[in-house]
mmCIF file of all heavy atoms in Angstrom:
data_model
loop_
_atom_site.group_PDB
_atom_site.id
_atom_site.type_symbol
_atom_site.label_atom_id
_atom_site.label_comp_id
_atom_site.label_asym_id
_atom_site.label_seq_id
_atom_site.Cartn_x
_atom_site.Cartn_y
_atom_site.Cartn_z
ATOM 1 N N LEU A 164 -64.784 -87.586 85.883
ATOM 2 C CA LEU A 164 -65.614 -86.765 85.000
ATOM 3 C C LEU A 164 -65.052 -86.683 83.589
ATOM 4 O O LEU A 164 -65.573 -85.941 82.753
ATOM 5 C CB LEU A 164 -65.785 -85.361 85.597
ATOM 6 C CG LEU A 164 -66.455 -85.326 86.974
ATOM 7 C CD1 LEU A 164 -66.532 -83.901 87.507
ATOM 8 C CD2 LEU A 164 -67.851 -85.937 86.903
ATOM 9 N N ASP A 165 -63.989 -87.417 83.326
ATOM 10 C CA ASP A 165 -63.433 -87.557 81.967
ATOM 11 C C ASP A 165 -63.040 -86.212 81.359
ATOM 12 O O ASP A 165 -63.218 -85.974 80.166
ATOM 13 C CB ASP A 165 -64.445 -88.272 81.066
ATOM 14 C CG ASP A 165 -63.786 -88.877 79.831
ATOM 15 O OD1 ASP A 165 -62.555 -88.998 79.821
ATOM 16 O OD2 ASP A 165 -64.515 -89.214 78.876
ATOM 17 N N LYS A 166 -62.499 -85.326 82.191
ATOM 18 C CA LYS A 166 -62.035 -84.034 81.704
ATOM 19 C C LYS A 166 -60.518 -84.028 81.619
ATOM 20 O O LYS A 166 -59.833 -84.678 82.411
ATOM 21 C CB LYS A 166 -62.490 -82.897 82.633
ATOM 22 C CG LYS A 166 -63.999 -82.801 82.819
ATOM 23 C CD LYS A 166 -64.690 -82.482 81.514
ATOM 24 C CE LYS A 166 -66.198 -82.378 81.717
ATOM 25 N NZ LYS A 166 -66.903 -82.134 80.436
ATOM 26 N N LYS A 167 -60.007 -83.293 80.664
ATOM 27 C CA LYS A 167 -58.559 -83.098 80.610
ATOM 28 C C LYS A 167 -58.212 -82.067 81.677
ATOM 29 O O LYS A 167 -58.788 -80.968 81.705
ATOM 30 C CB LYS A 167 -58.124 -82.627 79.228
ATOM 31 C CG LYS A 167 -56.677 -82.942 78.922
ATOM 32 C CD LYS A 167 -56.413 -83.078 77.439
ATOM 33 C CE LYS A 167 -55.000 -83.646 77.223
ATOM 34 N NZ LYS A 167 -54.683 -83.759 75.784
ATOM 35 N N VAL A 168 -57.287 -82.399 82.549
ATOM 36 C CA VAL A 168 -57.021 -81.533 83.699
ATOM 37 C C VAL A 168 -55.543 -81.565 84.044
ATOM 38 O O VAL A 168 -54.871 -82.590 83.871
ATOM 39 C CB VAL A 168 -57.870 -81.976 84.931
ATOM 40 C CG1 VAL A 168 -57.515 -83.382 85.372
ATOM 41 C CG2 VAL A 168 -57.729 -81.001 86.092
ATOM 42 N N VAL A 169 -55.032 -80.432 84.504
ATOM 43 C CA VAL A 169 -53.679 -80.351 85.056
ATOM 44 C C VAL A 169 -53.760 -79.582 86.370
ATOM 45 O O VAL A 169 -54.377 -78.515 86.447
ATOM 46 C CB VAL A 169 -52.697 -79.642 84.105
ATOM 47 C CG1 VAL A 169 -51.335 -79.457 84.781
ATOM 48 C CG2 VAL A 169 -52.514 -80.444 82.813
ATOM 49 N N THR A 170 -53.145 -80.145 87.407
ATOM 50 C CA THR A 170 -53.015 -79.473 88.698
ATOM 51 C C THR A 170 -51.714 -78.674 88.691
ATOM 52 O O THR A 170 -50.669 -79.198 88.322
ATOM 53 C CB THR A 170 -52.937 -80.499 89.839
ATOM 54 O OG1 THR A 170 -53.955 -81.476 89.674
ATOM 55 C CG2 THR A 170 -53.054 -79.840 91.190
ATOM 56 N N CYS A 171 -51.763 -77.410 89.087
ATOM 57 C CA CYS A 171 -50.555 -76.584 89.181
ATOM 58 C C CYS A 171 -50.326 -76.200 90.641
ATOM 59 O O CYS A 171 -51.143 -75.479 91.235
ATOM 60 C CB CYS A 171 -50.675 -75.338 88.314
ATOM 61 S SG CYS A 171 -50.579 -75.679 86.544
ATOM 62 N N LEU A 172 -49.242 -76.699 91.206
ATOM 63 C CA LEU A 172 -48.940 -76.490 92.623
ATOM 64 C C LEU A 172 -47.565 -75.874 92.816
ATOM 65 O O LEU A 172 -46.685 -75.976 91.952
ATOM 66 C CB LEU A 172 -48.987 -77.825 93.374
ATOM 67 C CG LEU A 172 -50.333 -78.546 93.489
ATOM 68 C CD1 LEU A 172 -50.133 -79.888 94.172
ATOM 69 C CD2 LEU A 172 -51.345 -77.700 94.255
ATOM 70 N N ARG A 173 -47.391 -75.275 93.992
ATOM 71 C CA ARG A 173 -46.071 -74.767 94.379
ATOM 72 C C ARG A 173 -45.196 -75.900 94.911
ATOM 73 O O ARG A 173 -45.696 -76.882 95.456
ATOM 74 C CB ARG A 173 -46.211 -73.712 95.477
ATOM 75 C CG ARG A 173 -46.868 -72.426 95.034
ATOM 76 C CD ARG A 173 -47.130 -71.504 96.209
ATOM 77 N NE ARG A 173 -48.166 -72.042 97.088
ATOM 78 C CZ ARG A 173 -48.394 -71.623 98.318
ATOM 79 N NH1 ARG A 173 -47.649 -70.661 98.851
ATOM 80 N NH2 ARG A 173 -49.362 -72.148 99.036
ATOM 81 N N GLN A 174 -43.889 -75.727 94.759
ATOM 82 C CA GLN A 174 -42.958 -76.651 95.391
ATOM 83 C C GLN A 174 -42.866 -76.292 96.873
ATOM 84 O O GLN A 174 -42.672 -75.133 97.222
ATOM 85 C CB GLN A 174 -41.573 -76.556 94.757
ATOM 86 C CG GLN A 174 -40.559 -77.494 95.422
ATOM 87 C CD GLN A 174 -39.154 -77.343 94.877
ATOM 88 O OE1 GLN A 174 -38.924 -76.600 93.915
ATOM 89 N NE2 GLN A 174 -38.190 -78.016 95.474
#
Side-chain angles (χ1 to χ4, degrees):
L164 300 178
D165 200 15
K166 302 297 180 183
K167 204 154 190 182
V168 62
V169 174
T170 313
C171 288
L172 294 176
R173 292 173 291 164
Q174 179 184 355

